[in-house]
Amino acid sequence: WMSFNGNHKKFKLCKCVFLCFSEKLLVLTVATEETDGFHRFMKSASYFNYTVKVLGMGEAWKGGDVGRSIGGGQKVRLLKEAMEALADQEDLVVLSVDSYDLIFAGGPEEILRKFQQANHKVLFAAEGLIWPDKRLADKYPSIRSGKRYLNSGGIIGYAPYINRVVSQWNLHDNDDDQLFYTKIYLDPLQRETLNMTLDHKCQIFQNLNGAVDEVLLKFGTGRVRVRNTVYDSLPVVVHGNGNTKMYLNYLANYVPNAWTYENGCSLCDDDIVDLSQLKVSYPNVLVGVFIEQPTPFLPEFFQRLLTLDYPKDKLNLFIHNNEVYHEKHIQKFWEENRNVFGSFKVVGPEENLSQGEARNMGMYYIRWLAVCEMLLSFICSDGITISPFCLLLPYRKIIGPLVTRHSKLWSNFWGALSLDGYYARSEDYVDIVQRKRVGVWNIPYMAHVYLVKGSVLRNELKERNYFVLEKLDPDMAFCRNSREMTSHREKDSPSPESFHMLRPPKGVFMYITNRHDFGRLISTANYNISHYNNDLWQIFENPVSVHRSLSDRVFVLQPCPDVFWFPVFSEKACDEIVGEMEHYGSWSGGRHEDKRISGGYETVPTDDIHMKQIGFDKEWLHFIREFISPVTLKVFSGYYTKGYAVMNFVVKYTPERQAYLRPHHDSSTFTINIALNNKDRDFEGGGCRFHRYNCSISSPRKGWSFMHPGRLTHLHEGLPTTNGTRYIAVSFIDP
Ligand SMILES: *[C@@H]1O[C@H](CO)[C@@H](O)[C@H](O)[C@H]1NC(C)=O
Ligand SMILES: *[C@@H]1O[C@H](CO)[C@@H](O)[C@H](O)[C@H]1NC(C)=O
Ligand SMILES: *[C@@H]1O[C@H](CO)[C@@H](O)[C@H](O)[C@H]1NC(C)=O
Ligand SMILES: *[C@@H]1O[C@H](CO)[C@@H](O)[C@H](O)[C@H]1NC(C)=O
Ligand SMILES: *[C@@H]1O[C@H](CO)[C@@H](O)[C@H](O)[C@H]1NC(C)=O
Ligand SMILES: *[C@@H]1O[C@H](CO)[C@@H](O)[C@H](O)[C@H]1NC(C)=O
């Protein structure tokens, strides 16, 4: 007929085109609550312009805990009710999907096309694991390849056929939906008359349970998909069934357009609160500070709380301190600042609270303080962190700033969980820590510092013993409580009656943001509090906090020929070194006889204390190697220092004892000389004169070091200190 009846052919083509476009897709989903997962589902649906009808919203959930056991009958009942009105719409394709743990990766046209290619009236999602009745395995039709078993999380079909399937439902809300569909599918007669099959090769539906290793993210232009590498397919519906919810969260950090190489984070500014619009009513924040063990640099941490860019009267402080050692720091901070904050509560070591109990108390405290809308929790037991915290406020129910150990991959979040619930590295972990991918990331675990919305504590997590769960540490407990709602209660109350009362997992999403550089984690390992100034000894654990960092901004002056001058120590480090020496107190008196040195005789003696005498020589040499050696390389190019020094000491100049030092050479290749206090404030006079160049440095700067060659060229003297006391730290390097 082709040659005789071209018109007819044209007509047929037209009809097909007409049919293709006349078919409509309606998405039906059951959700009784607007969980974070539900919102995510709806967001992905609206991105692709799906038409979605939500069934059961606001209804009490009676379908059991579908994450862990059988249940879900309520879903079929609601679908059955909805389908009654749609039963005669022959052109309507209905897609019934879960929504708490599911996202779209493609649009409705693609689904319709793939559904037509499948050439069946009803298509179920498939998976490799059989559930809930393993005995039915033999009854499944055999297939050559692909996933063999039915999963009820995704069903697509023509409305009349879907109706014929679900109208068979006459069970209870807590009976199992998947078992119901499975039995219909496994009935050969029904399978044929209802023209049903499974999406064996994940053309439309990707169930992640048992298939995590099969899928990869596929980055396209402005769009990210999931690719199934086994079937080489691009599934449209991605379902985190079983215990793959965390993996779905990971995928959904990208799919469909959450983060792309081209545009970065596209959802980061969702739910943003413009703080400048809020001038009248900034949210009240409870700042929980939990000090569970001796923690370096705690006074600095408190000072930084004062610099938070936020109205202080809106900040309410709750400090749990479990360490007698820190009581003096807290006392001081309280005395100076108790009226600065909205309120200020301290729970001390005498309460003998466990970490979890203390954290719970902080959480309950936010309820007593009915005005508080947020909890900012700093967990100092693992180090101190701080953030430009206003930048956190706008976001999600639970959000933490990314903080890392200095120049390490160690951070305060996990990108993935192992099967037993502990650390696993996600593919994107390093990129997030190094801020090569910047955004707001849904993650399974975070610690140390986070912000929780008060409403979450009062609602979603209300019944939870937030921070105490089995033997988990408090952060683990909190994160698991946030991720899932039912697992341990299920264990506590195994009876079927109470079981029916369970609701689906609330899965409050937790986010970490690395959109800004929020701060550092400090190591508390090896914090020895038996010294006089303990933070000084942190040069190995927390070097950057001890002195001013040289690495990012070295600036070196040259006040005299071959005399270099550069900053090394913070004010605090200087004060602590001086304090440490005065605390030790045994100054040598500047005598020629000196038992501390080999030979026992010093020709140019100073009134000093050796680093070794206070047990600081190891730390001091470390400092020389880490922070002085790089400067040496810059200024004496070609010279590689061994960073070795025997003579490391602090000198005290004062008119009452020794005021100056006569001209001399040092027994070193080069010498460093660090001013530990301020001219004109702490002493008058002082300085250093280099004879060969007739050049003096009369105004040393506190925390700055000189570096000059020791022998031959740099004959020098210590100029008289005329009033007060001058302190310098000296090392003869490479003697
Ligand atoms: C959804 O609809 C809007 C408005 O018609 C359109 O601009 C947008 O491109 C559509 N989105 C997709 C993914 O097709
Ligand atoms: C299912 O329906 C399609 C048409 O939609 C038909 O081509 C196919 O043969 C049917 N399959 C079975 C097993 O009946
Ligand atoms: C503190 O609590 C622990 C465990 O709860 C208990 O073993 C210990 O005796 C308590 N200490 C004091 C001083 O009450
Ligand atoms: C802590 O410092 C003291 C005093 O210097 C020292 O005696 C002690 O051995 C140190 N403890 C540890 C565990 O290093
Ligand atoms: C050293 O310099 C000072 C001024 O800086 C000058 O007064 C003095 O004469 C100089 N001495 C020598 C020996 O050059
Ligand atoms: C030394 O300094 C103190 C305090 O700054 C001052 O009172 C005193 O007059 C000074 N003495 C001399 C000799 O300059």
Side-chain angles (χ1 to χ4, degrees):
W1 44 265
M2 273 181 71
S3 53
F4 290 108
N5 199 342
N7 280 341
H8 180 59
K9 186 192 168 201
K10 226 180 240 162
F11 170 70
K12 285 206 65 136
L13 270 176
C14 280
K15 190 176 175 210
C16 175
V17 169
F18 173 71
L19 264 182
C20 296
F21 284 92
S22 71
E23 279 171 358
K24 289 183 311 233
L25 183 73
L26 174 65
V27 179
L28 295 177
T29 189
V30 172
T32 53
E33 290 176 68
E34 295 192 13
T35 62
D36 286 351
F38 174 76
H39 285 295
R40 176 179 63 190
F41 168 81
M42 292 303 277
K43 217 173 252 179
S44 78
S46 81
Y47 173 75
F48 290 111
N49 299 325
Y50 281 96
T51 309
V52 180
K53 191 167 178 200
V54 181
L55 310 174
M57 188 55 78
E59 235 183 61
W61 175 252
K62 301 190 194 100
D65 175 6
V66 288
R68 302 261 158 187
S69 61
I70 57 167
Q74 188 175 7
K75 289 195 288 186
V76 194
R77 197 237 315 147
L78 289 164
L79 187 57
K80 175 182 172 181
E81 288 164 14
M83 287 312 300
E84 277 162 16
L86 304 170
D88 53 4
Q89 299 198 26
E90 286 179 13
D91 286 341
L92 180 67
V93 176
V94 169
L95 173 67
S96 164
V97 283
D98 288 350
S99 49
Y100 293 153
D101 53 3
L102 189 143
I103 54 168
F104 288 108
E109 301 77 22
E110 184 181 339
I111 289 204
L112 282 174
R113 178 167 49 75
K114 287 178 170 176
F115 174 58
Q116 272 150 13
Q117 281 164 2
N119 199 29
H120 281 76
K121 302 284 193 245
V122 177
L123 187 67
F124 289 96
E127 63 175 318
L129 306 169
I130 184 164
W131 178 261
D133 188 349
K134 292 193 170 52
R135 291 167 304 180
L136 297 175
D138 296 341
K139 299 223 168 70
Y140 271 91
S142 57
I143 50 169
R144 250 177 296 156
S145 69
K147 309 220 172 274
R148 189 165 173 209
Y149 305 112
L150 180 146
N151 176 283
S152 63
I155 310 166
I156 185 168
Y158 289 101
Y161 287 81
I162 296 283
N163 182 54
R164 282 168 66 190
V165 173
V166 294
S167 61
Q168 300 178 40
W169 178 260
N170 57 6
L171 300 169
H172 299 292
D173 275 3
N174 62 325
D175 281 315
D176 195 59
D177 59 330
Q178 186 150 306
L179 187 61
F180 164 75
Y181 291 118
T182 302
K183 282 180 172 162
I184 293 175
Y185 174 72
L186 292 183
D187 174 351
L189 186 62
Q190 292 225 53
R191 191 158 66 237
E192 192 177 331
T193 55
L194 294 178
N195 195 316
M196 298 185 287
T197 189
L198 306 187
D199 181 24
H200 294 291
K201 295 192 174 173
C202 306
Q203 298 301 317
I204 295 178
F205 301 107
Q206 177 68 59
N207 288 303
L208 293 173
N209 200 13
V212 164
D213 295 340
E214 294 174 12
V215 299
L216 289 177
L217 287 174
K218 177 180 179 293
F219 290 91
T221 309
R223 178 95 51 98
V224 187
R225 297 204 61 147
V226 167
R227 190 167 91 86
N228 185 306
T229 55
V230 174
Y231 309 117
D232 198 19
S233 63
L234 295 172
V236 186
V237 173
V238 186
H239 183 202
N241 58 327
N243 63 359
T244 61
K245 312 263 179 282
M246 295 304 113
Y247 193 67
L248 180 72
N249 290 351
Y250 158 75
L251 296 176
N253 281 332
Y254 299 92
V255 179
N257 68 329
W259 190 93
T260 58
Y261 280 103
E262 294 79 18
N263 307 322
C265 182
S266 73
L267 306 178
C268 276
D269 292 329
D270 287 14
D271 313 323
I272 207 156
V273 177
D274 184 356
L275 284 174
S276 62
Q277 309 281 302
L278 269 179
K279 286 243 158 57
V280 257
S281 62
Y282 273 75
N284 274 283
V285 178
L286 176 65
V287 180
V289 179
F290 300 90
I291 305 155
E292 308 295 347
Q293 67 189 60
T295 304
F297 312 106
L298 192 64
E300 281 88 338
F301 169 78
F302 284 136
Q303 288 309 311
R304 271 181 244 129
L305 280 184
L306 288 170
T307 65
L308 286 181
D309 178 22
Y310 203 77
K312 298 293 170 297
D313 59 328
K314 297 286 184 179
L315 294 178
N316 301 274
L317 232 53
F318 175 91
I319 300 180
H320 174 249
N321 172 32
N322 205 26
E323 280 298 328
V324 175
Y325 167 69
H326 284 306
E327 284 190 307
K328 56 177 186 272
H329 302 130
I330 291 162
Q331 180 73 20
K332 181 160 182 285
F333 186 67
W334 183 79
E335 279 166 9
E336 290 167 0
N337 301 293
R338 70 185 130 153
N339 296 323
V340 171
F341 296 99
S343 63
F344 198 130
K345 182 171 173 59
V346 179
V347 176
E350 65 283 355
E351 301 289 332
N352 194 23
L353 298 178
S354 74
Q355 287 193 39
E357 289 165 344
R359 305 266 284 278
N360 273 344
M361 188 189 261
M363 289 288 193
Y364 292 129
Y365 193 63
I366 198 173
R367 285 198 239 154
W368 306 335
L369 281 174
V371 290
C372 272
E373 287 154 50
M374 312 254 178
L375 171 83
L376 175 67
S377 176
F378 287 104
I379 318 307
C380 289
S381 63
D382 295 295
I384 306 164
T385 56
I386 195 85
S387 60
F389 132 83
C390 273
L391 300 172
L392 279 181
L393 270 184
Y395 302 115
R396 315 291 148 89
K397 288 175 180 166
I398 305 176
I399 187 163
L402 172 76
V403 284
T404 55
R405 274 266 170 89
H406 183 72
S407 69
K408 297 233 162 72
L409 286 176
W410 183 296
S411 81
N412 63 326
F413 85 100
W414 296 349
L417 291 183
S418 63
L419 282 179
D420 56 357
Y422 288 91
Y423 177 81
R425 181 173 280 190
S426 60
E427 169 275 324
D428 55 4
Y429 178 79
V430 173
D431 280 350
I432 292 175
V433 168
Q434 297 180 339
R435 301 188 65 222
K436 288 179 185 151
R437 293 181 191 178
V438 169
V440 177
W441 310 95
N442 185 343
I443 43 91
Y445 173 81
M446 71 175 123
H448 308 321
V449 51
Y450 41 79
L451 188 69
V452 186
K453 268 194 180 154
S455 61
V456 175
L457 298 171
R458 296 185 185 103
N459 301 317
E460 279 98 328
L461 293 176
K462 182 169 62 191
E463 311 132 51
R464 309 293 281 192
N465 191 356
Y466 317 109
F467 287 105
V468 180
L469 180 57
E470 292 160 20
K471 287 189 176 134
L472 298 176
D473 80 34
D475 284 323
M476 296 276 292
F478 177 69
C479 292
R480 209 170 101 186
N481 274 325
S482 307
R483 288 196 304 266
E484 51 188 65
M485 284 299 295
T486 45
S487 58
H488 79 291
R489 284 213 296 157
E490 187 184 328
K491 259 185 229 149
D492 296 344
S493 49
S495 73
E497 289 76 17
S498 57
F499 177 69
H500 296 164
M501 303 301 292
L502 298 176
R503 277 165 292 163
K506 286 225 168 103
V508 178
F509 289 165
M510 289 173 286
Y511 294 92
I512 198 108
T513 168
N514 63 348
R515 295 184 80 194
H516 306 273
D517 186 4
F518 285 100
R520 299 278 162 264
L521 274 175
I522 282 174
S523 163
T524 53
N526 306 317
Y527 188 46
N528 185 338
I529 55 168
S530 57
H531 304 287
Y532 181 66
N533 282 306
N534 298 300
D535 291 354
L536 210 49
W537 266 260
Q538 285 293 299
I539 189 132
F540 288 107
E541 289 293 329
N542 296 296
V544 171
S545 309
V546 173
H547 65 94
R548 219 179 262 140
S549 168
L550 279 177
S551 47
D552 359 348
R553 43 169 209 122
V554 181
F555 59 100
V556 180
L557 307 180
Q558 193 172 180
C560 299
D562 282 331
V563 177
F564 300 97
W565 199 20
F566 52 94
V568 279
F569 277 143
S570 65
E571 289 263 329
K572 185 190 173 206
C574 292
D575 294 345
E576 291 191 347
I577 293 172
V578 170
E580 199 68 32
M581 292 304 178
E582 287 296 352
H583 176 73
Y584 178 74
S586 304
W587 296 93
S588 66
R591 282 181 289 274
H592 288 293
E593 295 74 31
D594 193 339
K595 289 203 203 72
R596 299 169 302 175
I597 57 177
S598 64
Y601 187 87
E602 171 59 63
T603 38
V604 194
T606 47
D607 191 11
D608 58 31
I609 295 172
H610 290 184
M611 298 297 179
K612 198 175 188 142
Q613 290 175 277
I614 61 160
F616 198 61
D617 46 335
K618 245 182 33 237
E619 284 75 9
W620 188 260
L621 287 177
H622 181 74
F623 156 72
I624 288 175
R625 285 184 200 120
E626 290 295 308
F627 300 101
I628 300 296
S629 298
V631 184
T632 317
L633 255 181
K634 271 200 170 64
V635 300
F636 301 127
S637 60
Y639 178 71
Y640 293 88
T641 170
K642 294 188 274 298
Y644 176 66
V646 184
M647 293 295 284
N648 308 294
F649 51 97
V650 171
V651 182
K652 173 172 171 170
Y653 289 117
T654 168
E656 288 78 42
R657 294 166 64 92
Q658 180 178 11
Y660 68 95
L661 191 62
R662 69 177 170 82
H664 64 283
H665 286 107
D666 293 336
S667 52
S668 69
T669 303
F670 67 94
T671 298
I672 56 165
N673 173 331
I674 305 168
L676 296 177
N677 58 355
N678 282 309
K679 185 178 164 96
D680 295 336
R681 208 166 69 201
D682 306 314
F683 63 89
E684 288 160 33
C688 191
R689 177 159 178 268
F690 295 89
H691 284 242
R692 186 183 172 93
Y693 309 102
N694 187 21
C695 178
S696 298
I697 298 139
S698 53
S699 295
R701 300 177 191 170
K702 183 175 179 180
W704 284 52
S705 177
F706 294 122
M707 181 191 288
H708 59 80
R711 298 192 187 86
L712 293 177
T713 53
H714 282 67
L715 180 75
H716 60 286
E717 66 181 316
L719 298 171
T721 297
T722 53
N723 195 4
T725 307
R726 176 186 175 215
Y727 297 95
I728 55 171
V730 177
S731 276
F732 296 160
I733 299 170
D734 298 342

